[in-house]
Amino acid sequence: MDQSLINLPDYSVEYTPAPIVIKNGDGLEAAIAQYVARYQDMVVTSDTEADTKKVRAELRKLKTALDDRRKQIKRGYNQPLREFEAKVKSLEASIDMIIDPITVGLNELEVQRRDQKKQEVSDLIAEMAPNYGVEVDSIDIDPRWLNKSASHKQVVDEIGATMTTIKAAADKLADDIAMITRYATVQNVDPLPWIDQLNQGQDVQYLLSAIDNQVAQAKERQHQRDLQAQADAEHQTETSTGKVVDTDTGEVVDHTTTLKVTGSINQLTALKGYMDSIGVKYEKVAGE
């Protein structure tokens, strides 16, 4: 296909603004000035109402005639411009018939190029990932890597820098998880909730302090329970029937304890019969 441009002929647009002249314009301006001088300070009364209306009608008639003539001149004056604009737009439309499909083709070519570049970058990431000890899925493709101006070396360098950063973050997270796990285990605390917070970006030193606080609070709660149990025991006694009675009020004190019992059906049936016989209340735990 011959892609050389067609030589256009030399062309120019001739345009000479035509003057618009009001013949006897001086006389018209003088006549209107006389009207203004005569009637601008007119006082309207009941006696002059009829004459005033006539004057207004004449003035409105003059104004309408002037405006109608202006519109007529404008239509005629604009006609050559409208014809010129229509001709130019027709020529532009003919040019657009060529420009539009070329633009579509170039856009499709750019999409194909970026898709090919994206596949090349993806292959490059897959090749480099094992060397940096990272997962392929952990690398997001930077749109800048798909630009035509991005050189192979530039893309390789930036992918390597990204992988180095990701690997360092993963190693630090693994070390932090190990530290939290060891510390929580020593403190007899479940490490999983703390590891979950770590994965969400929480600072490891903050979590170590939080574990200390949780352990301290648990110890304090247990201490308070022990003190309460000791205080209660000082005012309770067990009768010959095995019931615990508050020595201050004489009321029987009920104790609630949660147990997990494992046994055969016969054993559990016998246990149930015994608890029923001595008046022990029990209930099935939801979900069991």
Side-chain angles (χ1 to χ4, degrees):
M1 182 179 67
D2 185 3
Q3 296 181 348
S4 61
L5 294 177
I6 300 175
N7 293 324
L8 297 177
D10 293 335
Y11 68 95
S12 62
V13 177
E14 295 182 359
Y15 167 62
T16 303
I20 300 176
V21 180
I22 300 177
K23 293 183 179 181
N24 197 20
D26 294 341
L28 180 60
E29 290 182 7
I32 293 176
Q34 290 179 8
Y35 270 107
V36 172
R38 180 183 301 177
Y39 297 112
Q40 66 178 351
D41 296 327
M42 172 182 274
V43 178
V44 180
T45 66
S46 58
D47 294 335
T48 63
E49 180 180 3
D51 291 337
T52 302
K53 288 183 178 179
K54 290 180 181 180
V55 171
R56 184 181 64 178
E58 289 297 324
L59 292 173
R60 284 179 171 174
K61 183 177 179 181
L62 174 60
K63 179 182 176 182
T64 300
L66 287 171
D67 198 50
D68 288 345
R69 185 56 177 158
R70 178 190 64 79
K71 293 177 181 177
Q72 181 182 7
I73 295 298
K74 182 178 180 179
R75 286 193 295 271
Y77 198 85
N78 287 340
Q79 182 60 32
L81 176 61
R82 287 194 292 269
E83 293 175 355
F84 171 72
E85 289 179 339
K87 182 62 176 177
V88 170
K89 290 184 180 300
S90 176
L91 294 174
E92 290 176 344
S94 297
I95 296 174
D96 285 339
M97 291 176 61
I98 308 302
I99 291 177
D100 292 346
I102 290 176
T103 301
V104 171
L106 290 174
N107 290 340
E108 291 177 350
L109 188 63
E110 176 63 14
V111 171
Q112 294 174 7
R113 187 198 65 77
R114 289 183 68 86
D115 287 345
Q116 180 180 353
K117 189 69 174 289
K118 185 176 182 179
Q119 184 59 52
E120 293 174 357
V121 171
S122 297
D123 294 342
L124 190 58
I125 291 174
E127 178 184 346
M128 295 174 62
N131 299 330
Y132 285 83
V134 299
E135 297 294 331
V136 173
D137 294 340
S138 67
I139 309 299
D140 294 326
I141 295 179
D142 190 322
R144 295 182 299 108
W145 300 343
L146 306 182
N147 293 337
K148 185 181 295 185
S149 59
S151 66
H152 180 76
K153 181 179 184 306
Q154 176 186 351
V155 174
V156 170
D157 290 345
E158 293 193 13
I159 291 176
T162 300
M163 289 183 174
T164 299
T165 300
I166 291 176
K167 182 62 166 62
D171 290 344
K172 182 179 184 304
L173 178 61
D175 292 341
D176 291 345
I177 289 176
M179 181 186 298
I180 290 294
T181 301
R182 289 194 300 269
Y183 194 73
T185 301
V186 170
Q187 299 294 338
N188 293 321
V189 173
D190 183 5
L192 292 181
W194 306 103
I195 293 175
D196 183 59
Q197 292 187 49
L198 196 61
N199 287 326
Q200 295 177 21
Q202 188 57 266
D203 180 70
V204 64
Q205 294 300 325
Y206 172 86
L207 295 178
L208 292 174
S209 298
I211 292 175
D212 288 340
N213 291 336
Q214 184 187 70
V215 171
Q217 292 175 9
K219 289 181 177 179
E220 178 60 24
R221 287 193 296 270
Q222 184 59 48
H223 178 64
Q224 294 299 326
R225 285 194 293 268
D226 293 343
L227 291 177
Q228 185 62 46
Q230 182 179 353
D232 292 342
E234 294 176 354
H235 300 280
Q236 295 174 359
T237 184
E238 186 175 352
T239 65
S240 58
T241 59
K243 294 182 179 180
V244 178
V245 178
D246 189 309
T247 57
D248 292 336
T249 64
E251 296 179 350
V252 176
V253 179
D254 291 331
H255 288 280
T256 300
T257 301
T258 301
L259 300 175
K260 182 176 181 181
V261 181
T262 303
S264 65
I265 294 179
N266 292 335
Q267 290 172 329
L268 295 177
T269 300
L271 177 60
K272 177 178 179 299
Y274 173 73
M275 290 189 294
D276 289 340
S277 66
I278 62 175
V280 174
K281 296 180 180 180
Y282 54 89
E283 61 182 15
K284 183 178 180 181
V285 179
E288 295 294 330

